[in-house]
């Protein structure tokens, strides 16, 4: 019989020492489950610069603050929320959030706090199942992120919302960070590419139109933390920026961009825009106070060129619980169709709007939304 010899004593000692070391390491990890090297956890840096330790795999979250759930919906991860804030359940008499219209199931989720970031730690602690992560837009509103994290024991990740013009990089960072947490990186890049492609298409259609063929225009009644009257506008209004429109309220090159402005009535009369667009969210003000009522009743506006020529058109609300990015692009195609009909001859604005909503929200929303505003969006509005 052939003899089989054991390894040398030196090799045996080496293997024994290695086994002992591995056993001690395993015991150490069991006794210290929160060790930074634990394979089931990872660290990320949020947009407030905070280092946050989160689970390796995140399947359950809540979204705090204006627009937070909208971004999660864009990433096709809305099925991983376990609770919602009060605006998702109660809404408002006129709800102008396409992401919520396309996802009516949000109304049936448990409540974790009031809207605009006023979270309730006790409600969060009582959720079953428990969220693994809390995403929070606007760290300075409602519950402080560190306090909320301390009270609930759940990691809080701060995001900043950004916008489609001067805040595009901020928006992209928010999408990518949320996607990193949710393991949806490919989808984040799809959304970012989608936004870029829409903007490039709009700019391509309008960039070569001579200045003397660009009608002057003004958008009034823009919502900003609620409905406003005709003097509410936006100097950096994205649908005008993307279509190279002559925004009479626009800013000069080099000025710090403004997302909202209230202009004097006399200034609007002086500008005398050729085309007026109304954000139909102004109708939420009720009888007598809306931008539409002001145009119909105020003699100062009756002489405006746009009113005399019947050039007043309705747009979908750009802002409702933060910026409706799908509405921004949908409005841009409608603005282009009105200002430069030949350049947008192949575009049917409502069909384009629903295409955008379906890509971002998982379903159509704009036809349903328009019913709430009497069909005035994407239509000529009779002022007389």
């Amino acid at each position: 019989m052939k003899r089989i010899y054991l390894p040398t004593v030196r090799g045996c000692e080496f293997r024994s020492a290695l086994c002992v070391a591995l056993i001690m390491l395993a015991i150490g990890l069991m006794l210290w489950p929160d060790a930074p090297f634990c394979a089931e956890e990872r660290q990320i840096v949020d947009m407030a610069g905070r280092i946050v330790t989160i689970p390796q795999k995140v399947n359950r979250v809540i979204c705090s603050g204006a627009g937070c759930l909208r971004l999660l919906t864009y990433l096709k991860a809305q099925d991983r929320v376990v609770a919602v804030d009060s605006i998702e359940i109660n809404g408002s008499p006129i709800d102008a959030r396409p992401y919520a219209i396309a996802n009516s199931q949000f109304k049936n989720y448990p409540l974790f706090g009031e809207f605009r970031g006023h979270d309730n730690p006790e409600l969060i602690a009582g959720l079953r199942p428990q969220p693994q992560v809390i995403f929070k837009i606007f760290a300075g509103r409602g519950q402080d992120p560190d306090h909320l994290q301390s009270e609930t024991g759940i990691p809080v990740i701060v995001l900043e919302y950004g916008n489609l013009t001067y805040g595009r990089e901020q928006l992209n960072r928010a999408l990518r960070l949320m996607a990193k947490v949710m393991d949806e990186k490919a989808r984040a890049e799809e959304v970012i590419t989608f936004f870029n492609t829409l903007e490039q298409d709009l700019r391509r259609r309008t960039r070569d139109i001579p200045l003397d063929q660009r009608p002057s225009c003004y958008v009034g009644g823009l919502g900003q933390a609620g409905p406003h009257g005709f003097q509410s506008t936006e100097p950096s209004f994205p649908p005008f920026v993307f279509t190279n429109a002559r925004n009479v309220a626009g800013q000069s090159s080099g000025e710090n961009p403004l997302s909202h402005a209230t202009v004097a009535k006399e200034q609007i009369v002086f500008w005398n825009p050729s085309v007026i667009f109304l954000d139909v969210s102004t109708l939420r003000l009720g009888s007598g106070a809306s931008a539409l009522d002001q145009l119909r009743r105020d003699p100062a506006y009756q002489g405006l060129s746009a009113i005399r020529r019947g050039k007043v058109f309705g747009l979908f609300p750009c802002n409702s619980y933060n910026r409706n990015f799908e509405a921004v692009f949908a409005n841009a195609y409608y603005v282009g169709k009105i200002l430069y009909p030949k350049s947008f001859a192949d575009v049917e604005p409502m069909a384009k709007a629903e295409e955008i909503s379906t890509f971002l929200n998982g379903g159509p929303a704009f036809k349903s939304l328009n019913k709430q505003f009497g069909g005035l969006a994407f239509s000529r509005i009779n002022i007389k």
Side-chain angles (χ1 to χ4, degrees):
M1 180 182 294
K2 185 175 180 180
R3 295 176 181 270
I4 300 176
Y5 293 94
L6 293 172
T8 63
V9 173
R10 184 180 300 275
C12 184
E13 290 174 347
F14 173 77
R15 285 199 302 276
S16 298
L18 179 60
C19 289
V20 171
L22 290 173
I23 291 170
M24 293 300 291
L25 177 60
I27 293 172
L29 289 175
M30 286 188 290
L31 294 175
W32 188 24
D34 295 325
F37 299 103
C38 181
E40 295 183 356
E41 291 184 340
R42 54 188 164 131
Q43 288 186 330
I44 57 101
V45 180
D46 71 8
M47 293 182 72
R50 301 162 61 250
I51 298 174
V52 185
T53 301
I54 63 173
Q56 191 69 33
K57 183 71 174 176
V58 176
N59 294 313
R60 303 183 308 277
V61 301
I62 57 176
C63 291
S64 168
C68 191
L69 185 53
R70 180 184 287 112
L71 297 188
L72 192 75
T73 300
Y74 289 173
L75 296 178
K76 291 185 175 179
Q78 68 267 41
D79 60 331
R80 284 180 259 178
V81 294
V82 298
V84 296
D85 69 19
S86 59
I87 200 170
E88 304 299 341
I89 296 173
N90 301 325
S92 62
I94 298 179
D95 198 341
R97 297 168 296 130
Y99 79 92
I101 293 172
N103 291 272
S104 59
Q105 72 273 14
F106 292 153
K107 294 182 179 294
N108 301 319
Y109 276 77
L111 179 71
F112 72 78
E114 296 301 309
F115 76 133
R116 293 179 179 164
H118 295 279
D119 315 308
N120 187 320
E122 292 183 2
L123 288 178
I124 294 173
L127 292 174
R128 295 294 181 272
Q130 277 278 280
Q132 297 164 288
V133 164
I134 300 172
F135 288 113
K136 188 171 182 64
I137 294 279
F138 299 124
R141 297 183 186 177
Q143 284 277 352
D144 173 77
D146 290 325
H147 176 74
L148 181 61
Q149 184 167 299
S150 174
E151 287 286 301
T152 62
I154 300 170
V156 176
I157 297 174
V158 174
L159 304 171
E160 296 181 21
Y161 201 69
N163 58 55
L164 289 169
T165 49
Y166 59 89
R168 179 71 71 86
E169 182 56 35
Q170 192 179 52
L171 171 60
N172 292 348
R173 283 183 60 202
L175 287 167
R176 285 175 171 141
L177 177 56
M178 183 178 269
K180 182 178 180 180
V181 173
M182 305 303 297
D183 194 21
E184 294 288 352
K185 293 181 182 179
R187 174 60 181 177
E189 297 309 315
E190 287 178 359
V191 173
I192 291 168
T193 299
F194 184 68
F195 287 162
N196 292 339
T197 301
L198 291 175
E199 180 183 351
Q200 290 164 9
D201 180 48
L202 289 160
R203 289 184 181 275
R204 176 187 59 79
R205 291 171 181 269
T206 60
R207 66 190 174 200
D208 296 326
I209 297 173
L211 185 62
D212 62 359
Q213 296 179 25
R214 300 173 188 267
S216 62
C217 52
Y218 173 83
V219 59
L222 277 177
Q224 180 75 9
H228 289 270
F230 186 60
Q231 293 167 251
S232 174
T233 192
E234 184 174 340
S236 56
F237 189 55
F240 289 170
V241 173
F242 296 159
T243 57
N244 295 287
R246 288 174 56 201
N247 181 5
V248 295
Q251 295 171 277
S252 302
S253 178
E255 289 185 293
N256 291 329
L258 294 174
S259 61
H260 183 257
T262 301
V263 297
K265 178 168 60 177
E266 294 76 13
Q267 183 64 63
I268 299 173
V269 172
F270 174 77
W271 284 330
N272 191 26
S274 298
V275 181
I276 289 174
F277 294 95
L278 289 183
D279 182 330
V280 295
S281 69
T282 186
L283 299 178
R284 295 167 59 191
L285 286 172
S287 178
S290 73
L292 181 54
D293 290 321
Q294 291 171 339
L295 290 181
R296 285 173 172 167
R297 299 178 182 182
D298 194 325
Y301 292 133
Q302 295 303 305
L304 291 175
S305 172
I307 292 179
R308 288 187 287 103
R309 296 169 57 238
K311 296 287 187 177
V312 180
F313 303 91
L315 296 179
F316 282 104
C318 282
N319 300 312
S320 183
Y321 208 41
N322 221 325
R323 185 75 73 162
N324 286 322
F325 296 123
E326 58 276 84
V328 170
F329 279 115
N331 284 338
Y333 278 94
Y334 183 70
V335 166
K337 184 86 171 181
I338 295 300
L339 298 181
Y340 324 110
K342 291 183 180 179
S343 297
F344 289 81
D346 62 322
V347 175
E348 198 292 297
M350 186 60 76
K352 188 66 176 180
E354 296 293 40
E355 173 191 320
I356 293 169
S357 177
T358 298
F359 178 84
L360 293 173
N361 301 316
F366 286 101
K367 289 181 182 178
S368 176
L369 175 56
N370 207 12
K371 289 180 181 178
Q372 299 183 73
F373 293 100
L376 290 181
F378 286 10
S379 70
R380 187 187 301 267
I381 298 176
N382 180 22
I383 299 300
K384 301 300 183 181

